[in-house]
């Protein structure tokens, strides 16, 4: 039983790590595309207004199916999109990070420009002297991460989901969970049935390495593994009912106990 359990746990850790790398790879692909656009001469041309720069990206948005729209931001925290809309975003975390030279992906949130749930990816725009002169942002549907992981299965009924640093679900097979900005740690304060799940997620987000844990959700004992994403620091969690993995071991234990009792009974009868 111990050997099989260790093998199962190793398998789950490997799978969680692989999934985190796959999601990271997809995010990096989008970042590379946006970085390429940020190097376009039109975006580095100081003679053009930021509104004009934003309009130049209309066709790029139309040709990329996962991009809702692009935004070009000045260093004063004003964003201009390809539709001519202006929004103040100086307080946004993605803008602050990109304005300091870092690529950043923000968790799904309601956009001020469209009132829709969207994920924002942002990269700095630099001039020929490598000086940051603006920020290029790309908005993708808020359910994009959920779409990327919805086909991932664990065992027979297990699934994958992603948490941000605050414990809010940012990717799930049920997009409505993301839309609700579900947070087990927050909800556990008023719903004790979620406390076990909340404790496990706290352990997962505080861990420095991938590992396995156990918890109960809706009276189902679950086994789960977790791994951190490199691009965002978010946590990928895969889970499934423990019985789906340990059922064979339990059946083996039952058969061994039954066989032992039968052998003992026969031995007693012979004696």
């Amino acid at each position: 039983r111990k050997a099989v359990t260790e093998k199962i746990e190793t398998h789950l850790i490997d799978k969680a790590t692989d999934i985190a790398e796959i999601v990271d790879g997809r995010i990096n692909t989008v970042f590379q595309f946006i970085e390429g656009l940020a190097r376009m001469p039109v975006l580095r041309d100081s003679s053009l207004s930021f509104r004009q720069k934003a309009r130049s990206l209309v066709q790029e948005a139309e040709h990329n199916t996962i991009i809702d729209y692009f935004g070009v931001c000045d260093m004063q925290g004003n964003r201009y999109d390809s539709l001519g809309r202006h929004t103040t975003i100086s307080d946004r975390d993605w803008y602050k990070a990109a304005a300091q030279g870092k690529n950043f992906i923000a968790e799904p949130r309601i956009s001020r420009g469209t009132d829709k749930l969207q994920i924002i990816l942002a990269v700095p725009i630099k001039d020929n002297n490598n000086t940051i002169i603006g920020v290029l942002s790309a908005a993708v549907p808020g359910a994009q991460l959920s779409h990327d992981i919805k086909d991932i299965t664990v065992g027979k009924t297990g699934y994958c989901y992603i948490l941000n640093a605050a414990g809010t679900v940012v990717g799930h097979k049920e997009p409505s969970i993301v839309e609700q900005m579900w947070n087990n740690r927050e909800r556990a304060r008023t719903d004790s049935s979620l406390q076990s799940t909340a404790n496990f997620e706290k352990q997962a987000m505080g861990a420095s390495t991938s590992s396995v844990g156990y918890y109960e959700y809706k009276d189902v004992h679950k086994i789960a593994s977790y791994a951190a994403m490199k691009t965002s620091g978010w946590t990928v969690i895969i889970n499934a009912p423990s019985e789906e993995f340990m059922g064979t071991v339990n059946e083996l234990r039952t058969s061994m106990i039954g066989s032992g009792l039968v052998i003992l009974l026969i031995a007693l009868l012979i004696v």
Side-chain angles (χ1 to χ4, degrees):
R1 181 182 182 88
K2 181 179 179 182
V4 172
T5 300
E6 290 177 351
K7 185 175 181 180
I8 290 172
E9 291 180 350
T10 300
H11 167 71
L12 290 177
I13 291 173
D14 289 343
K15 185 159 186 174
T17 302
D18 289 343
I19 292 172
E21 290 178 353
I22 290 172
V23 178
D24 272 332
R26 292 175 178 174
I27 292 175
N28 279 326
T29 298
V30 180
F31 268 131
Q32 290 171 5
F33 172 67
I34 301 173
E35 286 175 339
L37 294 180
R39 290 191 291 269
M40 291 173 58
V42 65
L43 295 185
R44 305 167 75 178
D45 189 345
S46 59
S47 66
L48 297 176
S49 69
F50 281 85
R51 197 180 298 275
Q52 290 173 314
K53 294 177 181 181
R55 289 200 187 102
S56 69
L57 298 174
V58 173
Q59 290 185 345
E60 296 293 343
E62 291 176 348
H63 294 160
N64 196 305
T65 56
I66 70 168
I67 302 292
D68 285 341
Y69 65 87
F70 289 103
V72 182
C73 316
D74 60 27
M75 297 305 290
Q76 286 71 50
N78 300 301
R79 180 181 68 187
Y80 303 88
D81 64 25
S82 55
L83 298 178
R85 294 173 297 199
H86 166 258
T87 311
T88 300
I89 41 77
S90 57
D91 60 333
R92 290 296 200 184
D93 50 1
W94 56 264
Y95 170 77
K96 292 178 180 179
Q100 294 177 0
K102 302 176 182 177
N103 291 351
F104 193 88
I105 178 172
E107 66 272 7
R109 60 183 63 158
I110 300 299
S111 169
R112 293 175 183 174
T114 63
D115 289 328
K116 295 180 180 180
L117 192 69
Q118 292 176 319
I119 298 172
I120 302 294
L121 296 93
V123 302
I125 301 174
K126 300 179 181 180
D127 62 14
N128 294 330
N129 297 319
N130 210 34
T131 300
I132 299 174
I133 58 174
V135 171
L136 176 61
S137 66
V140 302
Q144 185 61 44
L145 282 175
S146 300
H147 176 75
D148 289 342
I149 64 174
K150 69 178 181 179
D151 295 330
I152 296 174
T153 57
V154 184
K156 296 179 181 178
T157 61
Y159 57 91
C160 168
Y161 64 100
I162 303 174
L163 301 177
N164 69 3
T168 302
V169 179
V170 296
H172 197 281
K173 67 173 185 176
E174 298 292 341
S176 59
I177 298 294
V178 178
E179 294 173 0
Q180 296 172 37
M181 297 184 178
W182 188 278
N183 188 309
N184 283 312
R185 293 170 65 181
E186 293 293 333
R187 292 174 181 262
R189 297 178 180 179
T190 56
D191 186 350
S192 59
S193 66
L194 296 174
Q195 192 60 55
S196 179
T197 306
N199 290 340
F200 168 76
E201 290 181 353
K202 182 179 180 180
Q203 169 193 335
M205 290 185 291
S208 57
T209 58
S210 302
S211 188
V212 171
Y214 298 85
Y215 65 94
E216 288 190 8
Y217 179 70
K218 294 183 178 180
D219 296 325
V220 177
H221 190 63
K222 293 201 172 190
I223 181 173
S225 180
Y226 49 83
M229 293 173 55
K230 296 179 180 178
T231 54
S232 58
W234 299 341
T235 303
V236 169
I237 296 178
I238 58 174
N239 71 94
S242 297
E243 184 63 24
E244 292 184 9
F245 290 97
M246 305 305 296
T248 302
V249 177
N250 293 333
E251 290 174 4
L252 177 61
R253 179 183 59 180
T254 301
S255 64
M256 290 178 68
I257 292 174
S259 299
L261 290 176
V262 170
I263 292 172
L264 178 61
L265 179 59
I266 292 175
L268 289 174
L269 290 175
I270 292 175
V271 172

